[in-house]
């Protein structure tokens, strides 16, 4: 699952390359949009909404029954494997053509969405149907730390490790930041939200981490960009804690009602454990 800063950088690249340009052709390789043709639509802007990408398109100014008179939004969600690449005209793609889901061509560049699980096209006025459920965007203009903290408080019995991945609470935290936020706040992943005295501090560190990394090529939570150890705990199971030397452990925490689990890394010393039958230890 992508982090909010990754989506922010992806949308910035797409916006820089496409904004103000008209499409020479479009090719949708998903059944629901297979016959859609956006030729002559102009890209107005590309913006993030949490982990979602929104490409806003303006219809041609010519009179034609073929084109909608309303602006459209091309929505995509990268999930685990998705990515958008940019190519010069005629440049060879870096990934196999059969993994492409969307191909948008302008005179200057070709944008290709590979392995994108969710691709939808809606009138821009209906964007809220797709992203209206999201909480305040950590990297967005609508960021509201008070609302984010209030959203956390709504389910005091939910584990903080689950809550941080709930995009309805605040949008943009993925698994890497979830682990790093918990470590920096010295919170065990299974601590109930209602047991945390300073929820605004949790929200604040989430916002600070994403903001400081949004324009970096390398994500860092431990200090300077050139550090040998960019992350405190994520991906470091079995290695010594950078703060205290204790062996980093790994929890499997459900994050969907169906029971799908995500890895969560934590330090037993810096983040004192609490008992819970809902998590399984993995060596």
């Amino acid at each position: 699952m992508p982090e909010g800063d990754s989506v922010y950088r992806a949308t910035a690249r797409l916006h820089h390359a496409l904004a103000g340009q008209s499409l020479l052709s479009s090719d949708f390789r998903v059944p629901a949009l297979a016959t859609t043709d956006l030729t002559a639509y102009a890209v107005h802007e590309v913006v993030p909404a949490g982990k979602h990408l929104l490409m806003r398109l303006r219809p041609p100014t010519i009179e034609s029954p073929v084109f909608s008179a309303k602006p459209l939004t091309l929505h995509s969600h990268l999930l685990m494997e998705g990515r958008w690449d940019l190519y010069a005209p005629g440049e060879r793609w870096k990934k196999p053509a059969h993994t492409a889901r969307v191909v948008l061509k302008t005179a200057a560049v070709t944008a290709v969405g590979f392995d994108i699980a969710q691709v939808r096209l809606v009138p821009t006025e209906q964007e809220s149907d797709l992203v209206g459920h999201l909480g305040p965007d950590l990297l967005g203009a609508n960021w509201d730390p008070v609302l984010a903290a209030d959203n956390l408080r709504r389910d005091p019995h939910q584990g903080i490790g689950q809550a941080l991945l709930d995009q309805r609470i605040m949008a943009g935290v993925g698994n890497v930041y979830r682990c790093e936020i918990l470590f920096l706040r010295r919170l065990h992943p299974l601590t109930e939200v209602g047991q945390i005295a300073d929820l605004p501090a949790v929200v604040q560190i989430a916002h600070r981490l994403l903001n400081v990394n949004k324009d970096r090529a390398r994500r860092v939570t431990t200090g300077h960009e050139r550090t040998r150890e960019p992350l405190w705990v994520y991906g470091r199971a079995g290695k010594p804690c950078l703060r205290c030397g204790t062996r980093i452990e790994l929890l499997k925490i459900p994050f969907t009602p169906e029971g799908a689990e995500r890895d969560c890394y934590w330090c037993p010393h810096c983040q004192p454990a609490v008992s819970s039958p809902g998590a399984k230890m993995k060596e």
Side-chain angles (χ1 to χ4, degrees):
M1 184 180 295
E3 309 281 334
D5 58 344
S6 299
V7 176
Y8 179 94
R9 288 190 294 274
T11 54
R13 289 194 302 271
L14 288 170
H15 179 82
H16 179 75
L18 298 173
Q21 296 194 52
S22 294
L23 299 180
L24 298 181
S25 67
S26 65
D27 181 7
F28 290 93
R29 303 177 184 183
V30 293
L33 298 173
T35 61
T36 300
D37 184 4
L38 296 179
T39 300
Y41 275 78
V43 179
H44 172 52
E45 61 183 350
V46 187
V47 297
K51 300 180 182 182
H52 303 252
L53 289 87
L54 304 176
M55 184 182 297
R56 294 171 178 150
L57 305 162
R58 289 178 173 170
T61 56
I62 60 174
E63 293 288 338
S64 170
V66 176
F67 298 112
S68 167
K70 295 183 178 180
L72 299 175
T73 294
L74 176 61
H75 163 271
S76 58
H77 196 303
L78 304 182
L79 293 182
M80 294 295 292
E81 305 294 337
R83 57 185 277 184
W84 279 94
D85 285 356
L86 295 167
Y87 299 95
E91 183 181 358
R92 184 171 180 173
W93 296 354
K94 296 177 182 178
K95 290 180 66 66
H98 73 268
T99 64
R101 298 294 175 263
V102 186
V103 183
L104 304 175
K105 292 185 178 181
T106 72
V109 68
T110 297
V112 187
F114 293 103
D115 293 314
I116 298 176
Q118 296 180 9
V119 180
R120 290 174 283 194
L121 187 67
V122 300
T124 298
E125 63 187 18
Q126 296 177 19
E127 275 182 11
S128 61
D129 294 345
L130 303 179
V131 296
H133 65 287
L134 297 175
D137 186 345
L138 282 153
L139 295 178
N142 73 333
W143 172 241
D144 185 340
V146 175
L147 178 57
D150 287 344
N151 289 345
L152 276 172
R153 295 187 184 97
R154 289 178 183 173
D155 187 354
H157 298 297
Q158 185 179 32
I160 185 62
Q162 290 179 320
L164 286 176
L165 292 186
D166 188 341
Q167 303 301 295
R168 298 169 299 179
I169 292 174
M170 56 181 173
V173 174
N175 202 29
V176 177
Y177 282 118
R178 184 261 298 268
C179 297
E180 299 299 291
I181 291 165
L182 293 176
F183 177 82
L184 288 168
R185 290 304 306 162
R186 295 181 177 268
L187 294 170
H188 188 278
L190 301 180
T191 304
E192 291 187 353
V193 170
Q195 297 175 326
I196 300 173
D198 196 352
L199 286 175
V202 176
V203 170
Q204 181 184 34
I205 194 66
H207 185 241
R208 183 163 67 87
L209 287 180
L210 266 75
N211 262 279
V212 75
N213 282 294
K214 63 182 173 61
D215 295 315
R216 285 177 171 172
R218 185 188 189 212
R219 183 179 295 130
V220 177
T221 63
T222 57
H224 195 273
E225 265 188 282
R226 295 183 180 180
T227 180
R228 294 178 60 185
E229 295 285 358
L231 303 174
W232 288 103
V233 291
Y234 182 81
R236 302 189 70 252
K239 296 180 180 180
C241 174
L242 298 174
R243 178 184 283 158
C244 72
T246 302
R247 181 177 182 268
I248 298 298
E249 300 289 346
L250 176 61
L251 279 172
K252 304 289 282 188
I253 302 179
F255 77 104
T256 69
E258 294 76 24
E261 296 176 324
R262 297 294 303 275
D263 294 343
C264 189
Y265 302 86
W266 62 290
C267 172
H269 180 267
C270 297
Q271 301 163 261
V274 295
S275 60
S276 171
K280 296 183 293 185
M281 300 297 294
K282 180 179 178 181
E283 297 298 329

